[in-house]
Amino acid sequence: MEPLILPGHTDSLGAIGRYVMDAATAAGLDRKAAYKLRLAVDELATNVVVHGYEEASLEGDVSVSADMDERALVIAIEDTARPFDPTAHTHPDDDELSQSLDDRPMGGLGVLLVRDGVDDFHYEYINGRNRTIITVNRPTGAVAD
């Protein structure tokens, strides 16, 4: 699929979600896997837009690309916000998750959703761009488009 490049605004999130669902369909993912993938990408893209651009008073784009082979669908999300490695952040432990929302520290649930919904998740910072890469294994017998 051709990469999707959009302004780093919340208005772009719907188009990103549609792009990811189109990629999931092309890869032959079942509904559950497609939903988890979309949730993961939505969480990452929302963090880029809200924390990376809006809260930092920065402007930039969000690029989403989808590549697949017979084994996996790989989604890459790139941006020009300040460097931020979502894979380096710890997710809440069981004690924190059992606390009420009022008592639990903020943050971490989104990255937990990402980790839980994909087969591989990594980050790199190259040439002034954050690049978060998530991989979902395709069903056995899926044919690469």
Side-chain angles (χ1 to χ4, degrees):
M1 292 178 66
E2 288 293 316
L4 178 67
I5 302 170
L6 296 168
H9 301 139
T10 54
D11 293 348
S12 299
L13 296 174
I16 292 170
R18 287 187 294 279
Y19 179 87
V20 169
M21 292 306 287
D22 288 346
T25 298
L29 299 184
D30 65 29
R31 290 176 102 182
K32 184 177 179 181
Y35 174 77
K36 285 183 171 187
L37 175 62
R38 180 176 177 170
L39 185 62
V41 172
D42 187 57
E43 180 62 34
L44 293 168
T46 299
N47 284 346
V48 167
V49 169
V50 173
H51 303 300
Y53 291 134
E54 290 178 359
E55 289 177 359
S57 298
L58 296 173
E59 290 286 326
D61 62 16
V62 177
S63 172
V64 182
S65 62
D67 292 299
M68 75 180 98
D69 60 22
E70 63 281 345
R71 185 188 69 74
L73 170 61
V74 178
I75 303 286
I77 303 156
E78 295 187 29
D79 65 82
T80 56
R82 293 179 298 206
F84 178 78
D85 182 355
T87 66
H89 289 65
T90 60
H91 54 80
D93 61 24
D94 290 340
D95 289 337
E96 290 173 327
L97 290 173
S98 67
Q99 295 175 0
S100 72
L101 289 177
D102 292 334
D103 296 332
R104 197 177 64 71
M106 289 292 292
L109 285 178
V111 173
L112 180 63
L113 286 172
V114 173
R115 286 182 194 276
D116 194 43
V118 301
D119 295 303
D120 188 45
F121 173 45
H122 69 275
Y123 167 85
E124 55 195 20
Y125 187 76
I126 299 175
N127 298 325
R129 293 184 70 84
N130 292 291
R131 183 176 180 159
T132 305
I133 303 156
I134 55 179
T135 303
V136 176
N137 294 332
R138 296 180 70 194
T140 304
V143 177
D145 290 342

